[in-house]
Amino acid sequence: MTATESEERGSQRELPEIAAIAARAANAHNTQPWDLRYRADHIEVGWRTEYALGPSDPSHRDLRLSLGTYVETLLISAAEAGVPLEFEPDYDAGATRVGRLWPAGTPRTTPFTVSDIEGRRVWRGPWSPRQVDLPLIGAAQRAAREAGFRVAAVPTASARPLLVRAYHWFFGHAGIAAELLAWTRLNPRQPEYRQDGLNDVMLVLNRAERTAMRVLFAPLVYRLLRPLGLVRLLTVLSSSATSGDGWVLVILGKGSDPAREVEAGRLVTRLWLQFFQQGVYVHPQSHVIDCPGTVDDLAELCGAEDGERPLVFFRVGFPATDPAVRPRHPRREEAGAQA
Ligand SMILES: Cc1cc2nc3c(=O)[nH]c(=O)nc-3n(C[C@H](O)[C@H](O)[C@H](O)COP(=O)(O)O)c2cc1C
């Protein structure tokens, strides 16, 4: 065996480990839709249709963003393992593929580590009044420009009316409510509790809220109570997601190329880890973009021009309590790697 062949085999042995770390990537509803398909000389990165969301992700934008976060996280994980890989985009919806990973000449350098990947997590709880320093937001805007996107910084107070309207739309949509319930893990005795979905801990629900959610989202109760003020009640219960000061960041991109959404997902990972290294937490809120009644107002708020459209909406700030003491959202053990 030549030295190169031996290195290649060595790196192939490390790939499942690299993929398991990559599975810590942020992804919509914690569905973990990615799928690694090992070929003779490369790895295809695709998705499994059974993990693609329906009404909650009507254009599959979040699916493509999530595949981008996965690719970027995988490349960071590979770089730390000393396994040189490069990503070749090749989006094909019919083949459920976003691109391929190839062996590269030299390992990538990255400012991010596996420890950043493992420490990062979403924050959906209340925010401290402390503000994110403007130079950090400026750094995020520079990183976005380098990747061909734009980050607009909007004060939360200006975005709040849109957030509230979007929550109202979200909770009033029977298909979205059913999908949310299907991916919510409220009971530690559920087998899926330790595999995927959104758990009560990271949704920052107390016991009463957990019970209320289970009851109110049950299809019959939801149908009966929806015309009687349930949607308004659920919107009010989500107030920690809409209250407080600080900044909302919106990534804007031009055109409608789905492959660009995968690239935007890669950027999301870099920005999220950049913030995480500075103790700043992130809460994406996709429904402001998906809601037909808020997306145009959001674009206007961001000063969108020349065909720009919002791709990602996330609040940044400092949590009022320590997120690191809460068990993270889990991942499926197979880590998405299919032989
Ligand atoms: C493209 C994308 C969209 C997301 N949208 C939302 C959202 O609308 N609301 C929310 O609370 N979290 C959202 N998230 C966060 C995910 O739910 C979170 O990443 C996932 O549950 C895994 O948890 P972790 O990030 O703590 O590992 C989004 C994440 C991504 C990558």
Side-chain angles (χ1 to χ4, degrees):
M1 198 189 308
T2 67
T4 318
E5 277 167 350
S6 148
E7 270 167 32
E8 273 174 15
R9 295 210 179 156
S11 59
Q12 270 167 17
R13 266 202 304 277
E14 285 163 331
L15 281 168
E17 210 173 303
I18 290 168
I21 293 165
R24 290 288 343 147
N27 66 99
H29 277 34
N30 197 18
T31 54
Q32 305 158 50
W34 39 76
D35 187 21
L36 290 186
R37 300 158 190 162
Y38 291 93
R39 308 290 187 230
D41 55 354
H42 70 277
I43 305 167
E44 203 176 286
V45 185
W47 69 92
R48 292 167 66 175
T49 50
E50 68 269 34
Y51 297 133
L53 292 168
S56 324
D57 185 19
S59 64
H60 280 177
R61 185 193 67 254
D62 274 357
L63 171 68
R64 291 183 283 271
L65 289 166
S66 302
L67 293 161
T69 66
Y70 180 71
V71 166
E72 190 68 14
T73 312
L74 192 145
L75 291 175
I76 295 167
S77 167
E80 185 158 316
V83 175
L85 285 181
E86 63 192 3
F87 178 67
E88 175 203 32
D90 184 21
Y91 182 83
D92 184 332
T96 61
R97 180 182 67 223
V98 293
R100 297 180 184 81
L101 294 161
W102 293 94
T106 46
R108 233 167 145 247
T109 54
T110 158
F112 307 115
T113 64
V114 167
S115 151
D116 297 329
I117 292 172
E118 289 179 341
R120 183 213 59 81
R121 63 198 63 191
V122 64
W123 178 245
R124 303 191 182 90
W127 298 93
S128 119
R130 184 176 161 202
Q131 301 285 316
V132 176
D133 292 338
L134 290 181
L136 277 184
I137 294 186
Q141 292 176 314
R142 269 195 308 283
R145 262 196 308 277
E146 279 161 21
F149 296 93
R150 180 165 78 83
V151 163
V154 177
T156 301
S158 311
R160 184 167 303 120
L162 304 189
L163 267 169
V164 172
R165 240 192 295 153
Y167 267 105
H168 202 268
W169 167 80
F170 182 85
F171 288 128
H173 190 302
I176 292 179
E179 198 161 56
L180 183 61
L181 187 65
W183 282 101
T184 304
R185 311 285 178 245
L186 300 174
N187 183 348
R189 284 196 295 265
Q190 265 176 284
E192 300 87 0
Y193 192 87
R194 269 165 288 281
Q195 294 173 7
D196 55 20
L198 307 168
N199 64 39
D200 52 337
V201 181
M202 287 311 287
L203 288 170
V204 199
L205 300 177
N206 62 32
R207 210 172 169 171
E209 289 164 336
R210 215 167 53 204
T211 309
M213 185 162 181
R214 205 179 297 139
V215 173
L216 297 176
F217 278 83
L220 184 63
V221 179
Y222 178 86
R223 252 202 322 275
L224 286 173
L225 295 187
R226 191 167 59 156
L228 304 175
L230 174 63
V231 174
R232 208 177 132 60
L233 171 71
L234 293 170
T235 306
V236 171
L237 288 176
S238 305
S239 65
S240 75
T242 58
S243 57
D245 294 320
W247 294 99
V248 162
L249 301 187
V250 181
I251 301 180
L252 297 123
K254 288 187 182 172
S256 56
D257 181 0
R260 289 296 291 157
E261 294 177 344
V262 179
E263 282 306 305
R266 295 184 59 184
L267 172 65
V268 167
T269 290
R270 296 195 293 276
L271 299 187
W272 201 326
L273 294 178
Q274 202 167 302
F275 280 120
F276 177 74
Q277 287 181 336
Q278 304 298 325
V280 174
Y281 279 73
V282 166
H283 183 193
Q285 285 166 297
S286 305
H287 41 293
V288 189
I289 299 177
D290 293 320
C291 169
T294 53
V295 62
D296 291 343
D297 290 349
L298 178 66
E300 198 181 324
L301 197 59
C302 297
E305 50 188 32
D306 292 340
E308 277 181 334
R309 67 185 170 108
L311 298 174
V312 188
F313 176 110
F314 54 100
R315 284 187 74 174
V316 289
F318 296 92
T321 61
D322 183 3
V325 301
R326 294 173 169 271
R328 302 174 301 181
H329 280 314
R331 296 297 190 264
R332 284 189 288 274
E333 262 184 18
E334 74 203 357
Q338 299 282 300

